[in-house]
Amino acid sequence: MSALAPVIAVDGPSGVGKGTLCQWLAVRLGWRLLDSGALYRLTALAALRRNAPLEDEDRVAAVATRLEAEFTVRADGGLRITLDGTEVGVELRTEQCGNAASRVAALPAVRAALLQRQRDFRRAPGLIADGRDMGTMVFPDAELKLFLTASAEERAQRRHKQLSQQGLDANLKSLAGEIAERDARDSQRAIAPLRPAADAEILDTTRLKIADVCAWALALTAQRLTLPELR
Ligand code: DC
């Protein structure tokens, strides 16, 4: 019998800092990383490239099923992502792409098409899973579930800084509006809405530095999981 590899599920709204925490945890523990948002972003991008209307559930689900995407880890823990054999860069990280991802993510057939692909990331020695429904739907049996929150204003500022660092144009005011729209759609959709699992540990990161968030997550990991790498 082969036991399933352990999972740490990290959920929360846009711009809360999940990506930074997950990348740090994956490097610290030497575990694999699932950026589930990237799968929804890639599905939206592939659908747009194929001129499939984003509300056409059957067509977008077919795109998701046949998604030719690969994730490889760089030395710094960041991901190199390819779509149809070609690397996708900043295009994937724009707020427009995030919004398109949020729209296709509300379609049940698209979520169903991506479910097993996400679960396939669960391999030894363990998986850090970053998303909206990691603890509730994709890995309900995760060993540890973390849920990050922060004020809408703080999240817009963090996302603004992140986009500017990537050389992407971003206007703080319109970004705040786009994030609010995306959060409302992600939290109110009928299927797998953004919400903490009943057994999630919740942290409001509004006034915290990333180092504090990492320390909190690592302390919980050490408490809940018996890991040789943390002894
Ligand atoms: O985490 P992100 O910003 O890359 O995600 C983009 C969108 O994808 C997000 O607004 C909602 C959707 N998403 C989802 O519905 N479920 C996930 N597990 C991850 C992302």
Side-chain angles (χ1 to χ4, degrees), residues 36-37 40-41 98 101-102 105 111 131-134 182 186 189:
S36 63
Y40 290 96
R41 286 173 184 259
S102 163
R111 301 199 77 82
R132 303 290 187 291
D133 62 341
M134 298 295 101
R182 188 141 74 92
D186 294 345
R189 66 184 176 217

Side-chain angles (χ1 to χ4, degrees), residues 22-189:
C22 287
Q23 198 169 313
W24 183 84
L25 272 177
V27 172
R28 176 68 179 78
L29 301 177
W31 285 14
R32 288 162 61 87
L33 175 65
L34 165 63
D35 176 356
S36 63
L39 284 172
Y40 290 96
R41 286 173 184 259
L42 286 164
T43 300
L45 203 59
L48 290 170
R49 285 184 184 171
R50 289 162 178 73
N51 294 319
L54 294 184
E55 56 287 340
D56 186 333
E57 184 162 2
D58 290 346
R59 274 187 74 187
V60 181
V63 168
T65 304
R66 291 188 211 111
L67 201 63
E68 291 282 341
E70 274 185 35
F71 294 75
T72 40
V73 183
R74 299 184 198 275
D76 67 353
L79 291 174
R80 177 179 186 272
I81 303 177
T82 62
L83 177 61
D84 299 322
T86 308
E87 182 167 2
V88 270
V90 288
E91 191 186 0
L92 202 63
R93 300 296 165 196
T94 63
E95 200 44 41
Q96 288 87 330
C97 188
N99 235 298
S102 163
R103 285 171 60 194
V104 301
L107 305 171
V110 172
R111 301 199 77 82
L114 293 177
L115 186 60
Q116 192 55 45
R117 190 186 285 250
Q118 295 173 80
R119 290 186 175 153
D120 288 344
F121 277 77
R122 184 176 198 168
R123 297 214 211 109
L127 178 68
I128 309 295
D130 168 345
R132 303 290 187 291
D133 62 341
M134 298 295 101
T136 51
M137 302 297 291
V138 183
F139 302 109
D141 59 340
E143 276 68 13
L144 177 63
K145 299 177 186 178
L146 307 177
F147 192 93
L148 305 184
T149 65
S151 72
E153 195 183 38
E154 174 68 21
R155 290 187 289 112
Q157 270 167 10
R158 286 181 193 169
R159 183 47 64 87
H160 182 255
K161 191 171 159 202
Q162 190 183 36
L163 291 175
S164 308
Q165 280 167 350
Q166 291 177 335
L168 290 165
D169 236 7
N171 169 292
L172 187 58
K173 207 161 161 225
S174 56
L175 197 57
E178 281 161 358
I179 287 185
E181 185 194 323
R182 188 141 74 92
D183 283 346
R185 192 186 301 110
D186 294 345
S187 319
Q188 288 160 22
R189 66 184 176 217

